[in-house]
Amino acid sequence: MIGLGTVINVVAIVVGAATGRLIGHRLPERTNRLVTDVLGLVVLVLGGLNLASLADPDYVATVTPGGTLLVVLAALLIGGITGSALRIEDRLEQFGGWLQSRFTRADAVAHADKRALFITGFVNASLVFCIGPLAILGAFSDGTGQGIDQLALKSVLDGFASVAFAATLGWGVALSALPVGIWQGLLTLLAATLGAVLSNAAIAALTATGGVLLLGVGIRIMNIRAIAVGDLLPALVVAPILTIVVGRVLGTA
């Protein structure tokens, strides 16, 4: 059944977040802060691992060794300018605030600290769960009928991450299942309609660009700097397009 992987992923996030809320209030503030820092460090590691795609043989052969990082840089600049103009980060936060007003008690909505925590949990969890390569590759695999193994693995990882996120950031983490379901569902439908639309080189460019975004999310989670990662999301679309264009121009695609 096409789309089953995304359904499992959504359920895993919700169940994980609910579990995190059950245990979160029992943990002292110092422990909650430590858990958040650990999550930030793990996201930084994931981002660094994704950057290994810069050395992907197909990617290097398509854009040349000197072009791999340049393509990612250009994608981030173009994507960042586009995302900033579209105010994607602000819209994500506004959507998180709207969700909080619909799914929490009135006293929690009025409480500024609780509202900010809810929005932070929703935005950060949404970014982490949507940006990773498993979200994209898994959805493509599901849509083309190659199985849900990658999304099943992602579901397990996201479920455990949701426990830790929700323990410190609240119920906003559970509602990150909405953008995850929409994003992966659209990718699955795209793959089912068009087949394997991306080359290995384009996927490598997308993965490396996603790695940079994950580094930004990790820095956000650790409260080092509030990088507007949401505004950089268009870079995930620009990177594979640039790779294809460069390959056509150089005659290596």
Side-chain angles (χ1 to χ4, degrees):
M1 171 185 163
I2 292 178
L4 178 60
T6 295
V7 172
I8 294 173
N9 200 172
V10 167
V11 172
I13 292 172
V14 173
V15 172
T19 303
R21 290 313 298 152
L22 288 175
I23 65 174
H25 68 279
R26 295 184 174 89
L27 300 176
E29 178 60 29
R30 181 178 178 181
T31 302
N32 282 336
R33 182 66 257 174
L34 179 62
V35 169
T36 302
D37 288 341
V38 168
L39 282 171
L41 289 171
V42 170
V43 173
L44 288 174
V45 171
L46 290 174
L49 291 174
N50 288 351
L51 290 178
S53 294
L54 289 170
D56 180 85
D58 292 324
Y59 185 32
V60 173
T62 300
V63 301
T64 75
T68 55
L69 186 57
L70 290 177
V71 167
V72 172
L73 175 59
L76 290 169
L77 291 174
I78 296 171
I81 292 171
T82 303
S84 180
L86 295 174
R87 296 177 55 243
I88 294 177
E89 179 85 12
D90 290 341
R91 296 180 192 281
L92 272 175
E93 292 179 354
Q94 290 169 5
F95 184 50
W98 179 82
L99 288 174
Q100 198 239 9
S101 67
R102 293 294 183 275
F103 290 93
T104 59
R105 301 190 308 271
D107 60 331
V109 174
H111 198 291
D113 289 342
K114 290 182 179 180
R115 180 177 177 83
L117 190 66
F118 184 100
I119 294 173
T120 298
F122 169 75
V123 173
N124 285 352
S126 297
L127 291 172
V128 171
F129 297 153
C130 289
I131 289 174
L134 282 178
I136 299 163
L137 299 180
F140 281 172
S141 179
D142 188 5
T144 54
Q146 299 177 47
I148 63 170
D149 293 352
Q150 294 183 72
L151 285 183
L153 173 61
K154 180 178 183 292
S155 298
V156 174
L157 297 175
D158 289 357
F160 281 110
S162 295
V163 174
F165 269 128
T168 57
L169 298 175
W171 282 110
V173 175
L175 293 178
S176 68
L178 290 176
V180 170
I182 294 170
W183 171 239
Q184 290 181 186
L186 288 174
L187 290 176
T188 300
L189 288 175
L190 177 65
T193 304
L194 302 178
V197 294
L198 291 180
S199 64
N200 289 335
I203 291 174
L206 186 152
T207 301
T209 304
V212 177
L213 268 60
L214 283 174
L215 291 176
V217 175
I219 291 172
R220 280 174 60 132
I221 292 173
M222 298 178 71
N223 289 323
I224 297 173
R225 181 177 171 81
I227 298 173
V229 178
D231 287 343
L232 293 172
L233 288 176
L236 295 175
V237 176
V238 176
I241 293 175
L242 280 179
T243 302
I244 294 170
V245 170
V246 171
R248 295 280 173 81
V249 171
L250 297 178
T252 55

